[in-house]
Amino acid sequence: MARAAGVSTATASRALSRPGMVAAGTRERVRAAAEAMGFEFNASARALTTGRTGLTGVLVPSLANPYFAPIVTGVQRALSQDGDNILLAVSEGSRSSEEKLAGQLASRVDGLVFIAPVSPDPVIRAFTAKLPAVTVDRTVPSVPGVLIDTPGGVADIVTHLAGLGHRSIAYVGGPEGSWMAERRTTAVEEAADRGGVDLTVLGPVAPRIDAGLAVAEHIAAERAVTAVVAYSSYLLIGLRLGLRDAGVRVPGDISLAASDDLTAISTDRPDTTALRVPLEEAGTEAVRLLQEPNPPKRARRVRVATELIVGVSTARVGLST
């Protein structure tokens, strides 16, 4: 294989076991030669010779929530640049399951990426004594992490609504026990105080369409607010459908906004006022933290900013449509 690729045996070995140490052109020649010869690289063998498996464990609370998929994609794409890959585990939002799965992965991978973990801080910190670990969408003392600034973004939404004259706003919060849901709620409350807004917090609410439908029924019956901010786009879909069925016009009667842009229809004329959240970038940054050759003594944090995209679902109070 080395002869077919025109490189030394040592270079061929590095191209397969530590691809990041080899020039891109050389790496591709070696891989092409290996594929032509039907060579299959064994991760266990690599672990014995290099101390690395070429695998990174990724733990997510759910695959049903589309918020997490782009983060996983970012992790995998960043790893693939060095010929590495992921082992994915789904905790289903269970602390005990998350801890058990992380323990099972720890002996088979080079590092762990906890996406929106639900385990207590000490449990997550304990894994850093065994192998590199990072968190995404959660801050754990002494553990490197990537924080997606949806709290700051959702505060921007409240400020935007206040600027449109809304003085009575409802915020439909996230799932019970979610670290990020608590931070977003706090950010909304602080923004409402600054803007002189009367805020009603509804929740915790599961980020599902049917939950949004149920909340819409309550909002339509009360008619106590002029704007609603949803924790997720799934909730917003339910809210919009429920309000439509109740004869409530959006944005004529109630303005709607969400803290992610999964429901955006067009980049030229966005349908929904929402946050543009660079989720794939968060996954890429997590890998960069994980692979730092000389990590700082103090755990490094990376903040990923969001962007408010104003759509046609929000309007000035009293606008007739």
Side-chain angles (χ1 to χ4, degrees), residues 217-295:
E217 184 177 349
H218 168 76
I219 290 173
E222 295 291 328
R223 295 294 184 108
V225 299
T226 61
V228 181
V229 182
Y231 178 82
S232 77
S233 62
Y234 267 23
L235 279 172
L236 184 132
I237 291 172
L239 283 165
R240 193 156 197 173
L241 291 173
L243 291 174
R244 183 196 65 187
D245 291 346
V248 178
R249 300 169 303 163
V250 175
D253 298 318
I254 290 182
S255 288
L256 286 182
S259 59
D260 59 52
D261 60 352
L262 300 176
T263 58
I265 295 174
S266 168
T267 54
D268 295 326
R269 187 173 182 270
D271 178 70
T272 303
T273 294
L275 299 182
R276 179 170 291 161
V277 186
L279 297 170
E280 191 169 320
E281 178 186 333
T284 299
E285 291 294 341
V287 173
R288 288 176 181 168
L289 284 179
L290 203 62
Q291 294 180 339
E292 284 191 338
N294 297 301

Side-chain angles (χ1 to χ4, degrees), residues 163-190:
L164 293 175
H166 294 276
R167 290 295 175 266
S168 184
I169 297 174
Y171 175 66
V172 185
E176 186 173 6
S178 166
W179 184 92
M180 182 53 73
E182 293 176 1
R183 270 65 190 174
R184 290 189 196 176
T185 298
T186 299
V188 167
E189 291 171 339
E190 292 175 349

Side-chain angles (χ1 to χ4, degrees), residues 143-224:
V143 178
V146 178
L147 187 64
I148 304 170
D149 191 23
T150 48
V154 79
D156 290 341
I157 293 176
V158 174
T159 301
H160 163 69
L161 291 170
L164 293 175
H166 294 276
R167 290 295 175 266
S168 184
I169 297 174
Y171 175 66
V172 185
E176 186 173 6
S178 166
W179 184 92
M180 182 53 73
E182 293 176 1
R183 270 65 190 174
R184 290 189 196 176
T185 298
T186 299
V188 167
E189 291 171 339
E190 292 175 349
D193 285 343
R194 291 193 299 269
V197 169
D198 181 13
L199 179 71
T200 299
V201 177
L202 304 174
V205 177
R208 301 195 309 263
I209 293 176
D210 60 341
L213 286 167
V215 174
E217 184 177 349
H218 168 76
I219 290 173
E222 295 291 328
R223 295 294 184 108

